[in-house]
Amino acid sequence: MLSHEQSIDTKPCIALLPTGVFLLHITKDLYQELGLVGQVSKFHSKSQMKFVVRIDLTAPFFQPGKKNFERVKWCLTERLNLSFNFLVTWIPNDSSICPSSIESYFTSLGLSVSLGDVFKVQHRTRMHSVPILESSSIDPTDNGCGFLEAYEWLGAVACGCEYGSVEDYVNTLSCPEPCKRQKVSHLKLSSFFAPQQIVSAINFLSDWVRKSSVPWASFTVHGFMDSPVSWGEIEHGYHTNGDNLYTIIVFSDTKYWLYTATGSCDIVS
């Protein structure tokens, strides 16, 4: 669950992680008004204008009727008068339960709920110059291009750029060498996906590459720019941008390359 349409650098943001951790990324004024213990944001250590409150909802002492639970509930309901729009995704443990049934649950609580869509954009190119990659070497060789050139090529394809013949223009692009002509498909899905769905999609793509004649395929995941966390439970912030994404290139021999891209307000351990 993630707060929606909230700018993390200026407004309070909330996230409920799959691990059962509830995170509040709030301003100094709200933190002082809330009355719960937290820590100064790692990216506001000098100004101390943003604070992070972490609540483990799975802790054995966090149960209705117990002191800690009742205090947190009181602070959130009585000391703050805030309302948020949330994005929610849920994968039930029982396959016979429809994930969309969570809509009925929130509706029964008197909340306004609408089902989100998965936006799909697909670009197909009959033939395209595709760089040849060697899974065993990320550096350029006579038999394969390097990982940086490959990543640039992937970005160009994702943006719909056309690689043409090299001319005397600064912005001319050419496919890295060595390369070969091959069919290319690009599929983009935009929504709020659960980690289990991402893992399932990567496994499906890896199996498909092993069983087909395709030498490699890539899978990119973009995180939300205004999410309180990006990698695991590590704090995420926003400075000039809030980028947090990763790309996996899977090969037919089960090897893979992993790229991670972060903003200036990210900590990657």
Side-chain angles (χ1 to χ4, degrees):
M1 185 169 70
L2 178 67
S3 55
H4 185 45
E5 298 176 335
Q6 295 287 107
S7 300
I8 195 169
D9 54 337
T10 59
K11 296 181 179 179
C13 292
I14 297 176
L16 175 58
L17 308 183
T19 56
V21 173
F22 185 63
L23 289 175
L24 295 93
H25 197 287
I26 53 180
T27 62
K28 181 179 180 179
D29 291 341
L30 286 177
Y31 177 72
Q32 293 175 338
E33 185 178 352
L34 178 63
L36 294 176
V37 177
Q39 295 181 334
V40 177
S41 167
K42 289 180 171 55
F43 308 114
H44 297 81
S45 56
K46 292 184 178 180
S47 65
Q48 296 194 354
M49 295 304 295
K50 294 297 290 287
F51 285 77
V52 178
V53 177
R54 183 183 185 276
I55 303 171
D56 186 359
L57 305 184
T58 64
F61 54 80
F62 195 80
Q63 298 179 13
K66 292 194 173 183
K67 183 178 179 180
N68 183 268
F69 178 93
E70 297 301 329
R71 171 164 176 78
V72 170
K73 180 181 178 182
W74 181 80
C75 288
L76 292 175
T77 57
E78 301 296 332
R79 304 198 68 171
L80 292 182
N81 183 24
L82 298 175
S83 61
F84 293 88
N85 292 326
F86 285 96
L87 297 174
V88 179
T89 184
W90 177 58
I91 305 296
N93 294 326
D94 189 342
S95 59
S96 64
I97 301 176
C98 180
S100 62
S101 62
I102 196 170
E103 177 190 14
S104 301
Y105 170 75
F106 285 117
T107 301
S108 67
L109 298 178
L111 301 175
S112 177
V113 183
S114 61
L115 290 177
D117 295 322
V118 177
F119 298 98
K120 177 179 177 182
V121 178
Q122 186 170 15
H123 301 287
R124 284 188 174 273
T125 305
R126 287 295 179 182
M127 296 299 293
H128 208 292
S129 294
V130 179
I132 297 175
L133 307 180
E134 285 190 310
S135 62
S136 58
S137 177
I138 61 174
D139 297 317
T141 65
D142 293 337
N143 299 320
C145 76
F147 72 100
L148 289 177
E149 294 83 0
Y151 196 56
E152 182 183 52
W153 182 87
L154 288 171
V157 171
C159 293
C161 299
E162 292 292 337
Y163 278 98
S165 58
V166 178
E167 299 180 5
D168 294 331
Y169 295 97
V170 175
N171 61 346
T172 298
L173 295 174
S174 60
C175 184
E177 297 286 346
C179 63
K180 65 178 180 180
R181 300 289 291 176
Q182 195 168 348
K183 291 182 179 180
V184 174
S185 295
H186 172 230
L187 176 65
K188 177 182 178 180
L189 301 176
S190 296
S191 189
F192 186 32
F193 298 102
Q196 300 96 313
Q197 294 171 309
I198 300 298
V199 172
S200 178
I202 293 175
N203 289 336
F204 175 85
L205 184 65
S206 180
D207 291 339
W208 177 78
V209 170
R210 287 201 304 268
K211 296 175 182 178
S212 68
S213 58
V214 176
W216 59 270
S218 70
F219 189 91
T220 299
V221 179
H222 289 261
F224 286 84
M225 289 190 176
D226 293 303
S227 170
V229 294
S230 56
W231 312 98
E233 295 184 14
I234 301 176
E235 184 183 351
H236 171 68
Y238 193 108
H239 182 47
T240 56
N241 65 71
D243 290 345
N244 62 102
L245 61 102
Y246 61 88
T247 296
I248 295 178
I249 297 180
V250 294
F251 295 90
S252 56
D253 59 0
T254 71
K255 294 180 181 179
Y256 67 91
W257 293 356
L258 174 63
Y259 302 82
T260 59
T262 64
S264 56
C265 289
D266 270 307
I267 300 174
V268 181
S269 59

